[in-house]
Amino acid sequence: MESTIVIVNLLGAVALLLFGLAQVKDGVSRAFGPKLRTGLATGTRNGPRSFLSGFVATVALQSSTATALTVASFVERDLIRPRMAQIVLLGANVGTAVTAWIVATGIEWLSPLLILAGLILHRSGSSARQGGGTALIGVGLMLLSLHLLSAATEPMRESPALAAFIGLLDDAWPVALLLSAGLAFVSSSSLAMVVLILSLASTGILSTGLIIVLILGANLGGAVPPVIATLSGPAAARRITLGNLIVRAVGCLIALPLAGYGAELLATLPLSPQKLPVDAHLIFNVLLAALAWPFSGLLSELMTRLVPSEESAETGPRFLDPDALETPVVALANATREVLAVGDLIERMLIRTENAFKHNDLAPLKEIETLEKRVDLIQQEVKLYLSKLGRGGLDDENARRSIAIIDYVINLEHIGDIVEKGLCGEVRKKIDNGLKFSEDGYRELESLFNLTVDNLRVAQTIFVTGDFDLARQLMEIKVNVRHMEKQSAERHLERLRDGKLESLQTSSLHLDLLRDLKRINAHIVSVAHPILDDSGVLVESRLRQAEPRS
């Protein structure tokens, strides 16, 4: 009976820890989710920034699994290069280890205060504050679970059965590693497993060597859930999560035979015996990051060979159900979903072109022609589908929505043409001829590229929601784009007058890129026209009213 109570208390404490972790993740996602995702997507221009982005995101989310899945989705959309994504996950692994180390510093006494502060913040009203309050409550519950874990494992000091089981594990380290990995996988949290090991180690029943082996297993098991979650996803996403699993597996295979030597080394260091598991966890992940970082490029190439891209048989529309034509609202919703997919294709084209521009690499341009053909095909099918819908007669509201969908998909198709026939040719010219922009000119073009992608994402949101404020904001951004293009052209001409060599060599190329990006933004902004026109705030012409000549 007593042993049953101990097990129930232990499992209850672990469940509370997992619940606290989930609350932190959900709360931080609600309060800072967009900023974290933006930071991950934009903070990966080089290795150190990628590592730091993964570290910060994981410390905030309390979940390397969440970071891995987010990064995998960004790689799928070409927002992050595969090599940088692997480095992001190295930072995420270290972030988990640092989180465990902080949790083990003996701050359990803060638990009631954090839960109280979180509850007050959660009831304060705004969504961001509610998210922050949820996160604080989650941290408080995590610290409370540590206290409960410590109390639950205290009776285990005198348990002969547990001592015998630990003795068996101490004589079979591979089995101990697999057991720890299995528990980490089942709980979907290496952090939870590390905290459990920490609690068991505080009873004094684990040897230093076994602690190291169990920590290795926790690291291995924690890399499996992201792989499972991306099994049905695109090849680009699977490569990232599988690569992270391979890195951890290789690290464990190297470290397992050396665990005995590692135990002797740790015994010589001035480390607290109570915190030995989190110290070992942190040391392992820091060493693994240092060793794996230089090979991140080779790992990306290996993953490309191991997980080849699938030849997509679906190049046409997926949502244009002919049976739905009998119900206009459903048919329009199907067409909207299809056009959103076209917008995603255009975003991929823009990002691939921008990556080729930034990294002087023609490889990202190889898929542009295929993507453009898909855009052409789908937009034709959307127009045909809606023309069939219109034959049955539509009320005014549905008719306006049908016209807005057709207008938007036509503008997206025009953008695809500009990217393929304009931007791609200009970027190829830059790379083939080894041309280099001046530092100022490059920054101006990079800024306009980034703004164009951001505007497209806003346009996709406006297309679905019809949000007036966003539509007005996008229209104002169009003016900013026009000013940016004009100012960049003027500064470029100034650099030509100053005789800067780079500007002389890239003069026509610079102006052509500016012109095409401006044209793309004009097509993007068109999604706001119907909304502003219906509201009566759209001006027909930019010409100032002038007095007629006498």
Side-chain angles (χ1 to χ4, degrees):
M1 183 66 180
E2 186 177 339
S3 61
T4 302
I5 294 174
V6 170
I7 293 173
V8 169
N9 289 340
L10 182 63
L11 293 177
V14 172
L16 184 62
L17 173 61
L18 293 174
F19 181 72
L21 285 169
Q23 292 301 298
V24 173
K25 175 187 170 184
D26 292 344
V28 171
S29 296
R30 287 171 60 189
F32 309 108
K35 293 181 179 178
L36 282 174
R37 287 190 289 271
T38 301
L40 273 175
T42 60
T44 56
R45 296 178 184 175
N46 53 49
R49 289 185 64 174
S50 299
F51 184 88
L52 183 61
S53 295
F55 177 87
V56 171
T58 303
V59 170
L61 292 171
Q62 302 287 295
S63 173
S64 58
T65 298
T67 303
L69 293 177
T70 303
V71 169
S73 69
F74 286 166
V75 172
E76 174 193 342
R77 295 164 59 194
D78 294 319
L79 293 175
I80 300 179
R81 287 180 292 160
R83 177 175 175 269
M84 293 298 106
Q86 296 295 348
I87 297 176
V88 169
L89 295 190
L90 293 177
N93 297 340
V94 175
T96 301
V98 169
T99 300
W101 192 90
I102 294 172
V103 166
T105 53
I107 55 174
E108 293 92 338
W109 59 272
L110 281 174
S111 173
L113 180 61
L114 290 174
I115 293 174
L116 176 61
L119 186 62
I120 294 172
L121 197 59
H122 185 270
R123 294 184 173 181
S124 63
S126 70
S127 178
R129 289 186 177 181
Q130 287 179 354
T134 301
L136 283 179
I137 292 172
V139 174
L141 293 177
M142 287 171 58
L143 296 178
L144 178 60
S145 72
L146 287 182
H147 175 72
L148 296 178
L149 275 172
S150 177
T153 54
E154 185 65 27
M156 295 181 177
R157 293 177 184 269
E158 310 301 331
S159 172
L162 182 62
F165 180 68
I166 295 298
L168 290 175
L169 290 181
D170 223 347
D171 293 331
W173 283 356
V175 175
L177 185 144
L178 292 176
L179 175 63
S180 179
L183 292 174
F185 167 65
V186 169
S187 64
S188 293
S189 173
S190 60
L191 178 59
M193 189 59 200
V194 169
V195 171
L196 178 59
I197 297 168
L198 179 71
S199 298
L200 291 173
S202 67
T203 65
I205 60 177
L206 301 180
S207 68
T208 304
L210 183 57
I211 288 174
I212 294 174
V213 172
L214 292 174
I215 289 296
L216 294 178
N219 278 276
L220 181 62
V224 176
V227 176
I228 303 297
T230 55
L231 279 179
S232 60
R238 283 183 279 130
R239 289 171 191 151
I240 302 307
T241 56
L242 181 59
N244 185 48
L245 176 60
I246 289 175
V247 167
R248 292 207 199 183
V250 170
C252 290
L253 286 175
I254 294 173
L256 182 60
L258 304 175
Y261 300 104
E264 295 175 3
L265 177 61
L266 289 177
T268 64
L269 298 176
L271 300 176
S272 169
Q274 287 77 22
K275 290 178 58 180
L276 200 56
V278 292
D279 289 332
H281 186 38
L282 181 58
I283 291 171
F284 171 75
N285 279 286
V286 169
L287 289 177
L288 184 62
L291 291 174
W293 191 326
F295 300 101
S296 56
L298 292 175
L299 178 63
S300 297
E301 294 175 6
L302 175 63
M303 289 300 99
T304 302
R305 295 191 185 98
L306 290 178
V307 187
S309 299
E310 318 92 340
E311 289 296 328
S312 177
E314 280 193 39
T315 57
R318 292 179 294 167
F319 306 113
L320 302 182
D321 181 8
D323 295 335
L325 290 172
E326 300 297 325
T327 312
V329 173
V330 177
L332 290 171
N334 290 343
T336 298
R337 292 179 69 189
E338 203 66 66
V339 174
L340 284 174
V342 175
D344 290 340
L345 292 175
I346 294 296
E347 181 181 346
R348 286 178 63 184
M349 293 174 68
L350 282 170
I351 290 172
R352 284 182 174 273
T353 306
E354 183 181 11
N355 287 339
F357 170 79
K358 287 180 178 179
H359 308 299
N360 285 327
D361 182 10
L362 288 173
L365 300 181
K366 292 179 181 178
E367 198 185 359
I368 296 295
E369 184 178 355
T370 303
L371 293 173
E372 165 59 11
K373 288 179 179 177
R374 288 183 63 187
V375 169
D376 286 344
L377 173 62
I378 295 175
Q379 71 98 13
Q380 289 289 353
E381 293 294 331
V382 168
K383 290 191 293 185
L384 181 62
Y385 184 76
L386 292 179
S387 68
K388 293 178 181 178
L389 177 65
R391 292 171 192 166
L394 297 173
D395 59 34
D396 290 344
E397 183 179 351
N398 286 336
R400 283 197 301 272
R401 181 57 181 167
S402 178
I403 292 171
I405 292 172
I406 292 174
D407 284 345
Y408 185 52
V409 77
I410 288 174
N411 277 287
L412 289 176
E413 193 273 333
H414 287 330
I415 294 173
D417 287 339
I418 296 171
V419 173
E420 183 193 18
K421 298 178 176 63
L423 290 180
C424 283
E426 290 146 15
V427 172
R428 281 195 182 94
K429 179 179 177 182
K430 170 183 180 287
I431 297 171
D432 290 340
N433 297 326
L435 299 177
K436 183 179 179 181
F437 291 97
S438 67
E439 188 175 334
D440 291 338
Y442 177 84
R443 278 202 303 269
E444 292 163 5
L445 290 170
E446 182 184 34
S447 176
L448 193 51
F449 257 119
N450 292 336
L451 181 61
T452 302
V453 174
D454 289 341
N455 288 346
L456 177 60
R457 292 169 184 161
V458 173
Q460 293 275 86
T461 303
I462 293 171
F463 175 64
V464 175
T465 64
D467 187 281
F468 173 81
D469 292 332
L470 273 180
R472 189 170 193 133
Q473 177 184 333
L474 188 64
M475 185 64 71
E476 291 170 353
I477 291 176
K478 178 184 177 181
V479 178
N480 294 337
V481 169
R482 190 163 65 242
H483 290 161
M484 284 178 65
E485 185 261 349
K486 181 180 178 182
Q487 291 169 2
S488 182
E490 290 173 349
R491 285 194 290 264
H492 175 70
L493 294 175
E494 288 177 6
R495 290 191 291 270
L496 286 178
R497 286 193 292 269
D498 292 341
K500 287 192 174 182
L501 181 61
E502 296 95 338
S503 297
L504 291 170
Q505 292 174 335
T506 60
S507 179
S508 62
L509 191 60
H510 186 105
L511 296 175
D512 288 344
L513 285 167
L514 286 176
R515 178 203 62 210
D516 286 338
L517 288 170
K518 178 185 175 184
R519 289 170 59 203
I520 289 172
N521 275 281
H523 286 296
I524 289 173
V525 171
S526 68
V527 73
H529 290 172
I531 300 168
L532 299 179
D533 195 24
D534 289 345
S535 302
V537 298
L538 192 63
V539 179
E540 288 285 338
S541 172
R542 293 202 304 264
L543 292 174
R544 291 191 180 91
Q545 294 294 323
E547 291 291 332
R549 293 182 180 180
S550 56

